[in-house]
Amino acid sequence: MSQTETITTSTSNGHLSQQICLNPPPNDDQILHYESAQVVDMALERLQRAGMMLIEWRSLLYCRMNVPMIVKNYSYVVPDEQLTNASDILSIMGLPLSTPSACFLVTAGDFQSKGYFHRVTRWTMSSSVQYMVLYPLSFSSLSLSELEKEPPMHLYSSIRCPSIYVPSRPAVYASIIRLMAKYPLACGTRTVLQSDLAGLIGYDLLQLEDGCIDSDDDETQEVSDRLVQASLIVEAWGTGGVWRKGEEWIGDALNAVVVCVGRIEHFPCK
């Protein structure tokens, strides 16, 4: 019986540090003995071989866009017609499908109710458990024309899954703002979306060290320059025609927040 061969990955470019198992995939009853990122790697390989289209989403996508965060769950978007089959494949692999708690349904709303949560850890306690979550494409509001193929973020260098679909940078912002308009202000889903958008604006567009402008540095030349540069980026997206027809307001609303004359809470809601 051969020993497991592993290599330790680098953390350059913000990728996650894990070990990669180079042996053949384990038996399904052993899969949860591996590190969560390795389990996800094997799951992605299995799904892609079955013809499933996988789109990186949420935490992994935000890490790609320079938002510092601990990846609790590995989220992916799947075309609606493939979602049930994809979930079935994960269950067959030995990744149990979990039911969200009533508490999480209140605090995270549709991010809990619309996802298929497959456990990728042996641990089940809320403080330690991690999931691979599949969401329907229709919920994400993304379009297939907005996707690009890139190396995945779950491991620095994946042998099993060398590439995955990723939304373009402006498409990420547009999808969040578009989703926000579908929910009332006082609901868990909208709260999560507002938090996500604020983090992206601070860390990705403005490239601020702490993700926000505080009272000590809001008048500095460096911050002013960052505001101008971010505004130019958003304006260039509009000039380049990245917004969907009838959604030009998304660029205007985003730019208003970037230059500190608008507030995320004032974005359209249901």
Side-chain angles (χ1 to χ4, degrees), residues 97-113:
L97 180 62
S98 303
T99 303
S101 70
C103 176
F104 286 147
L105 285 171
V106 172
T107 58
D110 281 350
F111 287 110
Q112 286 288 321
S113 64

Side-chain angles (χ1 to χ4, degrees), residues 111-181:
F111 287 110
Q112 286 288 321
S113 64
K114 292 188 179 294
Y116 286 58
F117 285 71
H118 288 268
R119 181 161 52 86
V120 293
T121 57
R122 286 175 291 168
W123 304 280
T124 58
M125 294 178 58
S126 59
S127 60
S128 305
V129 67
Q130 290 180 277
Y131 297 98
M132 181 175 181
V133 192
L134 303 180
Y135 291 98
L137 179 63
S138 58
F139 173 55
S140 74
S141 84
L142 293 167
S143 169
L144 298 183
S145 63
E146 298 169 328
L147 306 178
E148 308 160 346
K149 271 204 166 184
E150 299 285 350
M153 279 294 292
H154 67 287
L155 285 173
Y156 171 63
S157 179
S158 173
I159 296 174
R160 293 191 172 96
C161 176
S163 65
I164 198 163
Y165 286 101
V166 177
S168 67
R169 193 179 177 199
V172 176
Y173 287 95
S175 65
I176 293 175
I177 296 171
R178 191 182 301 119
L179 271 175
M180 286 171 59

Side-chain angles (χ1 to χ4, degrees), residues 12 21-22 41 80 87 108 123 136-137 163 170 178 190 234 237 251:
S12 63
C21 174
L22 300 179
D41 199 45
D80 292 41
S87 179
W123 304 280
L137 179 63
S163 65
R178 191 182 301 119
R190 170 84 182 206
V234 176
W237 289 342

Side-chain angles (χ1 to χ4, degrees), residues 82-104:
Q82 296 182 351
L83 186 59
T84 300
N85 287 342
S87 179
D88 288 344
I89 289 172
L90 297 185
S91 294
I92 293 171
M93 286 185 67
L95 308 182
L97 180 62
S98 303
T99 303
S101 70
C103 176
F104 286 147

